Amino acid sequence: MGMQGRVAGRRLGVTAVALLVLGALLGCVGGLGGYFFMPTKFVPGGHMRPTLATESSVTFNLLTIKVNRGDVVLFDAAAWGEQHQSVERVVAVGGDHISYTPGDRTLTLNGQPLDEPYVLNGDPVAGSPAFDVRVPRGRLFVLGDNRGNSADSRFRFEFSQSGTVPLSDVNGTMVDEGDPLLVGLRSGALVGVAVLCAGALLGAVSLRLRRRAAATAVHPAYAGLVPPPGT
């Protein structure tokens, strides 16, 4: 009984340690990746409708390496003389030529009409003044999807170069809630918590078994004084 208790307790203890280590790894990787580096932020206002509902919560990938046209980005609005973070869509990157002539039905990007199926009411020029911008290298021309209600690059010429924002001020890009990486990381964090709990439970059982085995064990010096079972 005593030896069996010690062996069972030892095996459970080893399993418990393995589960605790695995749970900690899953929790750390999933938690840091899925929540710290891909946080969910509150976006006030309705300038990104219909893509983002008014005052909605959005997840951003803060480890973004490259920003492309069409990306919805979270950036520091300091270039526009404001002390907060803003969310807009990138419509032109460094080297692009973006323009609008009153009367046109679309913006023009590098000499071609820009197709923007994401804008509110299918109107990409709503409330837009005329502009003609060659985007400087390392900067972005950003607009809201609700063009009739967005204080974006079109109205920031007096604050920064052609109303653009520096690429270095971008903090992250929007991530869809169904993104496989996001789902995987956050699921991993939850699994990690469950594994940690299982490891802690097995550890407690292991400790109990080993203590019980130690309490019932017979010291070798007294082995001959203990009558055998059934006598």
Side-chain angles (χ1 to χ4, degrees):
M1 171 64 182
M3 180 60 69
Q4 290 178 348
R6 284 197 295 273
V7 171
R10 186 178 301 113
R11 288 176 178 172
L12 283 178
V14 171
T15 303
V17 170
L19 288 177
L20 289 171
V21 172
L22 177 60
L25 287 174
L26 286 173
C28 288
V29 173
L32 285 174
Y35 293 95
F36 185 79
F37 291 113
M38 289 188 176
T40 298
K41 294 184 176 292
F42 177 74
V43 180
H47 71 287
M48 284 300 295
R49 291 193 303 124
T51 303
L52 303 178
T54 301
E55 300 185 346
S56 59
S57 295
V58 187
T59 300
F60 292 94
N61 180 2
L62 305 187
L63 296 179
T64 297
I65 298 176
K66 184 179 180 181
V67 176
N68 300 306
R69 299 188 201 97
D71 287 345
V72 175
V73 295
L74 174 72
F75 63 95
D76 188 338
W80 291 349
E82 299 177 359
Q83 303 302 313
H84 63 82
Q85 293 188 324
S86 187
V87 176
E88 305 283 357
R89 186 183 295 275
V90 177
V91 296
V93 298
D96 283 341
H97 180 205
I98 184 82
S99 64
Y100 169 64
T101 301
D104 288 351
R105 301 184 63 179
T106 68
L107 305 184
T108 300
L109 177 67
N110 299 326
Q112 299 296 323
L114 180 60
D115 182 26
E116 298 185 275
Y118 42 75
V119 297
L120 183 66
N121 299 325
D123 188 357
V125 300
S128 184
F131 62 86
D132 190 299
V133 173
R134 176 73 65 177
V135 182
R137 294 291 179 182
R139 300 182 76 89
L140 306 169
F141 194 85
V142 296
L143 303 176
D145 289 353
N146 182 1
R147 297 290 160 81
N149 184 30
S150 180
D152 45 43
S153 288
R154 297 170 297 172
F155 307 100
R156 304 290 185 166
F157 291 90
E158 62 181 294
F159 299 102
S160 64
Q161 299 180 49
S162 303
T164 60
V165 297
L167 181 59
S168 58
D169 283 355
V170 172
N171 296 319
T173 56
M174 186 178 75
V175 177
D176 185 83
E177 290 297 328
D179 181 81
L181 179 60
L182 176 65
V183 173
L185 287 171
R186 291 190 172 180
S187 298
L190 296 177
V191 171
V193 172
V195 172
L196 278 173
C197 291
L201 179 61
L202 283 184
V205 173
S206 169
L207 182 60
R208 184 179 181 84
L209 287 175
R210 297 181 72 173
R211 284 179 175 174
R212 180 180 297 174
T216 58
V218 179
H219 194 281
Y222 301 100
L225 304 180
V226 179
T231 60

